[in-house]
Amino acid sequence: MSNGDIFVGEVIGTAILILFGAGVVAAVVLNYSKAKDAGWVVIAFGWGFGVMAGAYTAAPLSGGHLNPAVTLGIAVDTGEWDTVHIYVAGQMVGAVLGALLCWLVYYAQFEANAEEDISQPTLGIFSTTPAIRRPVANLVTEIIATMGLVLPILAFGLTEGLGESGTAILIVSFLVVGIGLSLGGPTGYAINPARDLGPRIVHALLPIPRKGTSDWGYAWVPVVGPLIGGALSGLVFNAAF
């Protein structure tokens, strides 16, 4: 894979991931959406399908990491760091583009906030917010949840035939659904620094009526936690397998 292929693959794949993921949250929470109040299970499956669509699209070009924590875990395990910055750059650009696309899809619903008497904060569509704000506990949650993602991804590579058949991507997609259902309650399961930071930047810049705060005081948790979780996953996998 060339550096150009890696960058383009990660941009496209991550953009699709965020379009689906942010899109399902927008569908569930925004006023005047037909999926209003559809619930957490719908959100978890929407994110899982976003991973599936994005990773299958990116796989021929970049392998479909779509997540700096995954890229970091692989680099820590293999010792190969030459393309890490290419992957992360593509993931960040893709996350920004995906958030912009989500805004365009739900433009009318976002604009309808201007007509409401009560403000409807919109950050949760783009990025994560904790149910209970305790930074240390939130950080631990993100570390553990990310290890629940990255360690299995690394282990799937040991199963002969999964990569060639493309089944590994499908399994990872359901893994993301499972993480959302089981571990997503405390923090909203960022488990991906680009997924949280890129859309948070977009939220801060977009002219969304009554959008509320972008909560930069919390923004470090869904970046640092997944990176620690990804690095620990690489270390544990390298030592154990």
Side-chain angles (χ1 to χ4, degrees), residues 42-171:
V42 170
I43 289 174
F45 272 93
W47 275 105
F49 291 141
V51 169
M52 182 174 64
Y56 271 122
T57 303
L61 291 173
S62 66
H65 294 189
L66 314 186
N67 184 342
V70 172
T71 300
L72 179 60
I74 293 171
V76 170
D77 172 45
T78 63
E80 298 176 3
W81 295 85
D82 291 348
T83 58
V84 168
H85 64 293
I86 305 296
Y87 275 98
V88 174
Q91 291 153 6
M92 283 298 301
V93 172
V96 168
L97 290 177
L100 285 170
L101 291 172
C102 173
W103 173 64
L104 290 173
V105 169
Y106 285 93
Y107 181 82
Q109 282 71 31
F110 282 118
E111 287 297 297
N113 282 337
E115 303 170 6
E116 296 292 317
D117 293 331
I118 300 174
S119 175
Q120 183 184 22
T122 56
L123 178 61
I125 294 169
F126 294 88
S127 297
T128 59
T129 57
I132 299 174
R133 187 176 295 267
R134 293 185 181 175
V136 174
N138 303 148
L139 184 70
V140 170
T141 296
E142 286 293 332
I143 291 171
I144 294 171
T146 305
M147 293 185 73
L149 172 69
V150 179
L151 262 178
I153 287 175
L154 295 174
F156 294 157
L158 298 179
T159 303
E160 187 176 355
L162 277 184
E164 290 81 356
S165 67
T167 310
I169 291 175
L170 181 62
I171 295 173

